[in-house]
Amino acid sequence: AQTGKASTQLAAFENELGVQPPLGFFDPLGLLEDADQERFDRLRYVEVKHGRVCQLAFLGQIVTRNGIHLDGPIDKAGNAFDSFPNGLAAVFGPDAIPQAGLLQIVAFVGFLELFVMKDSANGAEPGEFPGDFRNGALDFGWDTFDEETKLSKRGIELNNGRAAMMGILGLMVHEKLGEIDMVADLPIIGALQ
């Protein structure tokens, strides 16, 4: 009887955005067993947010590893942006960004998290969907799209975020493999050093 109840509840999410071939509805850890719509929306919000962060991280890796850095000094001591290593070495390692710089980054991200990037999952007025951070101020033409286009664009963002989560994880693994003398020669960016 329990199996029937769980499969009935999981079937409630079979038609949600992001359920698509070849996997269909995929919940290998059982996070949605006995879950309601509110729990699903919270997990979708987290998935979208992590996907957005990973898209930025992946793009940052590709850009900086191609030698493109901001001009000018990063601090009052005159250190240039390109004087710090790329990837995880910029955070952990002998030539890492100074602790005060990391604290500024964490404080800025915390400010955005607490006061700017809000949706109904964390106290803002309800948006159209989980992860809707427009907050009545930003639009960029979203309201001009029909419902089919909006669903398509949200699905594309969800899939790109999923791919970016795997991509940035792969780049981090390859960077660590380089530390144990396994050369990983990647397309576009070459061997990670």
Side-chain angles (χ1 to χ4, degrees):
Q2 276 297 85
T3 307
K5 179 184 174 192
S7 63
T8 303
Q9 286 179 327
L10 292 178
F13 304 118
E14 285 288 332
N15 295 321
E16 290 287 344
L17 180 70
V19 176
Q20 52 208 32
L23 295 177
F25 181 73
F26 187 64
D27 183 23
L29 299 178
L31 296 174
L32 292 172
E33 287 181 20
D34 299 325
D36 57 4
Q37 187 66 41
E38 183 178 339
R39 171 85 172 141
F40 178 85
D41 287 346
R42 173 67 183 153
L43 290 174
R44 176 54 48 90
Y45 162 78
V46 170
E47 180 183 17
V48 168
K49 184 181 241 184
H50 282 95
R52 289 172 179 169
V53 169
C54 288
Q55 287 176 65
L56 291 172
F58 188 85
L59 183 63
Q61 279 273 19
I62 298 298
V63 168
T64 57
R65 289 198 181 275
N66 274 306
I68 302 170
H69 296 87
L70 294 174
D71 289 330
I74 193 171
D75 58 15
K76 291 183 180 180
N79 294 314
F81 282 92
D82 62 358
S83 66
F84 294 100
N86 298 317
L88 292 173
V91 180
F92 310 107
D95 298 324
I97 298 170
Q99 186 176 13
L102 286 177
L103 289 174
Q104 289 175 31
I105 293 169
V106 170
F108 179 67
V109 169
F111 172 79
L112 290 176
E113 182 76 21
L114 294 173
F115 301 109
V116 179
M117 305 305 282
K118 297 177 80 86
D119 81 340
S120 59
N122 58 9
E125 290 294 318
E128 282 185 49
F129 52 88
D132 182 3
F133 293 134
R134 292 177 296 150
N135 298 324
L138 301 173
D139 188 83
F140 301 116
W142 181 258
D143 290 333
T144 62
F145 298 130
D146 59 47
E147 289 305 312
E148 184 179 341
T149 304
K150 287 180 181 181
L151 278 176
S152 172
K153 289 186 176 293
R154 287 179 52 213
I156 290 167
E157 178 188 26
L158 195 57
N159 284 330
N160 286 345
R162 290 170 177 170
M165 286 186 255
M166 294 295 103
I168 195 65
L169 179 63
L171 288 175
M172 291 188 301
V173 167
H174 279 85
E175 185 173 346
K176 289 309 211 181
L177 288 176
E179 290 179 10
I180 58 172
D181 294 329
M182 291 182 72
V183 176
D185 195 14
L186 300 174
I188 301 175
I189 59 175
L192 300 179
Q193 301 169 3

